[in-house]
């Protein structure tokens, strides 16, 4: 992680703790960084970018040559995120695409070995399905807010835990959970 990216995350941490903005945050961020260091994905997709917190955290943790494509439906937020990503020195490896992920994801090309799902909770399974055929063996799929929105993500959890294609486990942070699924080899 570069100094510029860390500086940007610390700045955002201060802002979100004062304003309760729904970013992935420090605690889940630490787990995410550990997972990224372990799996070293090279081609990532993020669904739901807000102003770029998780994009900077993930983009800054990818190995050399890694790329992250972020999909954000709100044009203002997408622009804001792109500026923050640039400011964090990650403009070369993190790209923000504006649009509804349900329309954008099927148009993206190439294999994917990291997927972060953090947009409309009822659509988690549809986001995953839109990328699923392009997930490599060993790919890491992370779904945020699966504790707070347990009912909305029920179908998603049943899919990753029950269809045999993933090794899936829940990280419980007390007030919320994050589901981490790895595509079986
Ligand atoms: C919880 S925030 C994302 C937080 C971000 N991942 C972070 O941790 O910094 C959810 C974002 O998803 C976006 N969103 C919701 N539905 C979407 C969709 N169908 N396609 C793309 N973005 C969507 C919202 O505009 C919002 O910015």
């Amino acid at each position: 992680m570069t100094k510029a990216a860390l500086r940007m995350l610390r700045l955002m941490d201060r802002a979100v703790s004062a304003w309760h903005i729904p970013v992935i945050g420090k605690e889940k961020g630490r787990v995410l960084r550990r997972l990224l260091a372990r799996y070293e994905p090279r081609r990532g997709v993020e669904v739901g970018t807000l102003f770029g917190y998780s994009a900077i955290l993930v983009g800054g943790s990818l190995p050399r040559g890694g790329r992250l494509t972020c999909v954000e439906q709100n044009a203002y937020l997408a622009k804001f995120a792109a500026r923050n990503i640039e400011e964090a020195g990650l403009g070369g490896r993190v790209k923000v695409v504006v649009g509804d992920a349900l329309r954008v994801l099927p148009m993206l090309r190439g294999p994917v070995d990291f997927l972060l799902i953090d947009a409309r909770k009822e659509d988690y399974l549809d986001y995953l399905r839109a990328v699923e055929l392009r997930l490599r063996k060993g790919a890491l799929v992370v779904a945020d807010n699966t504790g707070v929105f347990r009912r909305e993500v029920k179908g998603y959890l049943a899919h990753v835990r029950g269809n045999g294609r993933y090794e899936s486990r829940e990280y419980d942070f007390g007030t919320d959970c994050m589901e981490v699924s790895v595509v079986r080899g």
Side-chain angles (χ1 to χ4, degrees), residues 4-185:
L6 276 175
R7 203 171 37 242
M8 202 68 197
L9 288 175
R10 295 296 80 88
L11 195 72
M12 288 175 167
D13 278 330
R14 284 208 294 276
V16 300
S17 65
W19 296 333
H20 308 290
I21 298 169
V23 299
I24 217 141
K26 264 195 207 167
E27 208 186 346
K28 290 177 189 161
R30 253 193 301 273
V31 171
L32 195 50
R33 283 176 67 179
R34 268 210 311 272
L35 289 164
L36 291 165
R38 177 168 163 205
Y39 287 91
E40 297 195 312
R42 307 186 71 80
R43 292 291 173 266
V45 173
E46 174 183 85
V47 186
T49 301
L50 199 66
F51 58 73
Y53 184 102
S54 53
I56 291 169
L57 188 132
V58 172
S61 308
L62 293 178
R64 188 183 291 271
R67 295 282 180 271
L68 176 68
T69 302
C70 303
V71 188
E72 170 54 55
Q73 72 176 2
N74 180 300
Y76 172 78
L77 288 172
K79 209 167 175 179
F80 190 23
R83 267 180 49 190
N84 289 336
I85 288 162
E86 195 68 45
E87 185 83 10
L90 296 168
R93 60 163 74 178
V94 181
K95 181 174 81 173
V96 183
V97 178
V98 189
D100 181 344
L102 293 175
R103 288 173 185 272
V104 174
L105 293 173
M107 293 193 293
L108 300 178
R109 293 286 161 256
V112 171
D113 53 13
F114 174 72
L115 176 64
L116 173 60
I117 303 178
D118 192 14
R120 190 168 177 268
K121 309 307 162 187
E122 292 83 352
D123 293 336
Y124 273 27
L125 184 52
D126 292 328
Y127 301 138
L128 175 61
R129 283 202 168 118
V131 179
E132 202 160 38
L133 290 176
R134 290 187 290 115
L135 288 175
R136 283 187 165 136
K137 286 176 186 162
L140 187 62
V141 180
V142 177
D144 192 24
N145 304 128
T146 54
V148 171
F149 295 97
R150 179 71 90 204
R151 196 161 44 85
E152 291 82 349
V153 302
K154 199 168 153 225
Y156 176 88
L157 293 179
H159 183 80
V160 292
R161 291 174 184 177
N163 87 344
R165 186 157 185 229
Y166 303 91
E167 188 73 51
S168 201
R169 66 162 285 197
E170 179 170 81
Y171 284 78
D172 191 340
F173 295 88
T175 50
D176 194 10
C177 302
M178 193 166 86
E179 185 78 6
V180 175
S181 316
V182 176
V183 177
R184 289 184 201 270

